[in-house]
């Protein structure tokens, strides 16, 4: 395809490396968003806006007539992680790293914006390039952009996330519905009454109370959720005690909960709270519960997922495109798909034997940079298929 030659491959790598060296945390992406804004200023035919303090939206109005408005989104924030990868362009900031690949997402979308901005007359409709802040921190930047009205005129939205341990440049699409799960959980402090271990009758043992809670909580999924539904509850932390001959005063637990449907999500919260309350009451303990609802499950509209898959095959070839299973991760892209139809895709960043064996959020996270051009190809091809003048 002729436009393949217009992809600024070297610039995509340059943009990515600049961002990787200069990461910023959620809601603090001031230099990152300014860099994106200044880069977009060098492209033709774009209208730029700053809907929030650290986000950027570029709008391209096609010159071939009216049509749909399609949004492409990239997130830009980094994580509070000390980088341990062996790349030559490591983070210059202590305990801040692009360990989830958002730097690559921005670079790929800048590449797509560069190509499409020079194809204005071939497009019938409008493209919105959304460079979103704060994906990593609840309540997330996506919801802020929804609240700011960024999607009010958008018909469909698409996004891509890079993942290591997958063939570089491959593209996975969940075509059957939910692409990720909702991510909820809780932090619990149990207040008991300590004593010497030789006088247990004087205590309210928080270890016993917490243990009973853990066992009861494990029954929620097996006894309340239909096999056809999806839910997982995992206690990840249980701390208490100080010595073998002392019964402690307190215990603390934390838990991760994953669901897809909102009905099951609500059910899990209701059952968790009831079990904790009833067990504590039975033993005479008190507690402090911080139940946190994170991002909702991300739903891929099946029709749009099939369109995206077809565009990906056209751009990359059938051998690199596959039907992806749902990931047990969470993404604030779900805030967009609760408002308008959308599709979220997964780009392979390289295999274990290629040095890409550490998953997102790991301090040694790394991807092969040559995979990024395929993300740009899919984004451009998708817009041409949806808005291209026939």
């Amino acid at each position: 395809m002729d436009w393949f030659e217009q992809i600024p491959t070297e610039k995509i790598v340059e943009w990515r490396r600049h961002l990787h060296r200069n990461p910023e945390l959620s809601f603090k992406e001031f230099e990152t968003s300014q860099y994106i804004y200044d880069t977009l200023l060098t492209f033709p035919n774009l209208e730029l806006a700053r809907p929030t303090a650290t986000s950027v939206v570029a709008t391209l109005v096609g010159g071939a007539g009216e049509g749909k408005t399609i949004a492409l989104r990239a997130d830009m924030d980094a994580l509070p992680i000390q980088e341990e990868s062996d790349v030559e362009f490591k983070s210059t900031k202590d305990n801040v790293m692009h360990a989830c690949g958002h730097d690559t997402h921005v670079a790929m979308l800048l590449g797509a914006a560069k190509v499409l901005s020079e194809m204005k007359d071939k497009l019938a409709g409008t493209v919105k390039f959304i460079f979103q802040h704060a994906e990593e921190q609840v309540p997330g930047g996506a919801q802020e952009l929804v609240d700011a009205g960024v999607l009010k005129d958008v018909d469909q939205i698409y996004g891509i996330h890079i993942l290591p341990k997958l063939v570089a440049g491959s593209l996975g699409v969940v075509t059957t519905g939910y692409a990720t799960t909702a991510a909820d959980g809780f932090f619990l402090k149990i207040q008991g009454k300590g004593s010497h271990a030789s006088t247990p009758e004087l205590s309210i043992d928080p270890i016993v109370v917490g243990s009973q809670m853990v066992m009861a909580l494990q029954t929620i999924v097996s006894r309340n959720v239909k096999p056809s539904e999806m839910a997982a509850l995992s206690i990840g932390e249980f701390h208490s005690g100080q010595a073998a001959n002392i019964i402690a005063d307190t215990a603390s637990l934390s838990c991760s909960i994953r669901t897809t449907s909102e009905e099951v999500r609500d059910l899990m919260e209701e059952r968790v709270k009831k079990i904790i309350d009833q067990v504590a009451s039975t033993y005479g303990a008190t507690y402090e519960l911080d139940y946190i609802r994170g991002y909702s499950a991300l739903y891929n509209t099946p029709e749009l997922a099939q369109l995206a898959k077809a565009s990906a095959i056209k751009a990359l070839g059938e051998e690199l495109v596959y039907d992806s299973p749902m990931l047990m991760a969470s993404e604030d892209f779900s805030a967009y798909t609760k408002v308008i139809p959308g599709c979220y895709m997964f780009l392979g960043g390289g295999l274990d034997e290629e040095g890409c064996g550490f998953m997102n959020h790991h301090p040694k996270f790394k991807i092969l940079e040559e995979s990024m051009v395929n993300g740009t190809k899919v984004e451009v091809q998708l817009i041409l298929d949806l808005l291209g003048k026939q």
Side-chain angles (χ1 to χ4, degrees):
M1 300 181 186
D2 292 342
W3 60 265
F4 277 16
E5 299 177 2
Q6 305 304 314
I7 296 176
T9 305
E10 292 183 0
K11 295 297 290 185
I12 290 173
V13 172
E14 177 186 320
W15 295 326
R16 186 267 169 141
R17 291 189 175 190
H18 172 87
L19 294 169
H20 196 88
R21 288 190 186 99
N22 300 279
E24 293 179 296
L25 298 175
S26 304
F27 298 105
K28 299 178 181 178
E29 311 94 330
F30 296 102
E31 293 179 5
T32 301
S33 60
Q34 190 61 50
Y35 180 80
I36 293 168
Y37 188 92
D38 291 342
T39 302
L40 291 167
L41 281 176
T42 68
F43 304 164
N45 302 315
L46 297 178
E47 301 172 10
L48 304 187
R50 303 294 297 270
T52 69
T54 58
S55 63
V56 183
V57 175
T59 302
L60 172 64
V61 179
E66 295 183 355
K68 293 181 178 180
T69 296
I70 308 298
L72 299 174
R73 172 270 208 169
D75 39 13
M76 67 172 77
D77 53 327
L79 287 158
I81 292 174
Q82 182 65 40
E83 182 160 14
E84 297 177 9
S85 72
D86 58 2
V87 298
E88 62 186 54
F89 47 90
K90 290 176 69 171
S91 170
T92 60
K93 298 183 179 180
D94 290 338
N95 200 40
V96 186
M97 176 193 176
H98 270 295
C100 200
H102 297 183
D103 52 340
T104 70
H105 302 169
V106 170
M108 291 187 291
L109 190 56
L110 284 173
K114 177 70 164 63
V115 174
L116 290 166
S117 68
E118 296 171 349
M119 303 173 72
K120 173 184 173 75
D121 292 338
K122 296 182 179 181
L123 302 177
T126 300
V127 187
K128 277 194 174 184
F129 304 94
I130 299 174
F131 295 88
Q132 180 211 306
H133 61 304
E135 188 278 331
E136 298 288 0
Q137 185 174 324
V138 176
Q143 188 59 54
E144 282 198 349
L145 293 185
V146 170
D147 294 342
V150 169
L151 296 189
K152 67 179 185 299
D153 57 350
V154 176
D155 296 295
Q156 302 171 12
I157 187 166
Y158 298 84
I160 295 178
H161 201 301
I162 199 163
L163 299 172
K165 303 176 80 68
L166 296 172
V167 173
S170 62
L171 197 286
V173 187
V174 178
T175 59
T176 54
Y178 288 108
T180 71
T181 63
D184 302 328
F186 65 79
F187 296 91
L188 173 67
K189 181 180 178 181
I190 302 167
Q191 182 65 54
K193 181 180 179 181
S195 76
H196 194 276
S198 64
T199 55
E201 72 277 5
L202 302 179
S203 73
I204 299 174
D205 191 340
I207 295 178
V208 172
V209 177
S211 298
Q212 291 293 326
M213 288 179 179
V214 170
M215 296 306 295
L217 290 168
Q218 295 302 317
T219 69
I220 295 177
V221 174
S222 63
R223 294 296 180 266
N224 294 271
V225 180
K226 296 178 181 178
S228 59
E229 296 280 5
M230 181 272 149
L233 182 151
S234 300
I235 303 295
E237 181 183 30
F238 189 160
H239 292 297
S240 188
Q242 54 188 346
N245 61 346
I246 298 295
I247 294 175
D249 287 313
T250 64
S252 59
L253 287 77
S254 67
C255 177
S256 175
I257 299 169
R258 303 282 165 154
T259 54
T260 51
S261 77
E262 289 296 309
E263 292 78 12
V264 173
R265 189 183 192 189
D266 292 340
L267 170 67
M268 294 293 288
E269 179 176 359
E270 176 189 346
R271 294 296 299 142
V272 164
K273 290 180 176 178
K274 183 171 290 187
I275 284 173
I276 289 173
D277 187 69
Q278 290 180 342
V279 172
S281 177
T282 297
Y283 284 90
T286 59
Y287 64 91
E288 296 176 8
L289 175 64
D290 182 15
Y291 195 98
I292 300 169
R293 287 178 76 104
Y295 302 142
S296 299
L298 193 168
Y299 185 78
N300 275 359
T301 303
E303 295 81 1
L304 270 59
Q306 291 293 349
L307 288 172
K309 182 182 176 182
S311 293
I313 290 172
K314 192 180 298 185
L316 309 180
E318 288 192 19
E319 67 280 2
L320 284 177
V321 182
Y322 63 96
D323 286 332
S324 172
M326 179 185 71
L327 299 190
M328 294 288 284
S330 67
E331 236 291 343
D332 83 337
F333 193 89
S334 59
Y336 301 130
T337 59
K338 291 177 84 172
V339 178
I340 60 173
C343 176
Y344 203 60
M345 299 162 275
F346 304 109
L347 179 70
L351 300 172
D352 289 36
E353 56 267 31
E354 296 171 309
C356 304
F358 297 95
M359 285 302 293
N360 309 67
H361 290 223
H362 193 281
K364 293 183 179 179
F365 169 84
K366 187 170 70 173
I367 56 91
L368 298 182
E369 292 182 316
E370 54 262 37
S371 62
M372 294 189 292
V373 69
N374 279 9
T376 296
K377 285 180 180 179
V378 172
E379 289 170 336
V380 173
Q381 186 64 63
L382 186 56
I383 294 301
L384 292 178
D385 289 343
L386 292 169
L387 303 181
K389 186 177 180 181
Q390 303 300 318

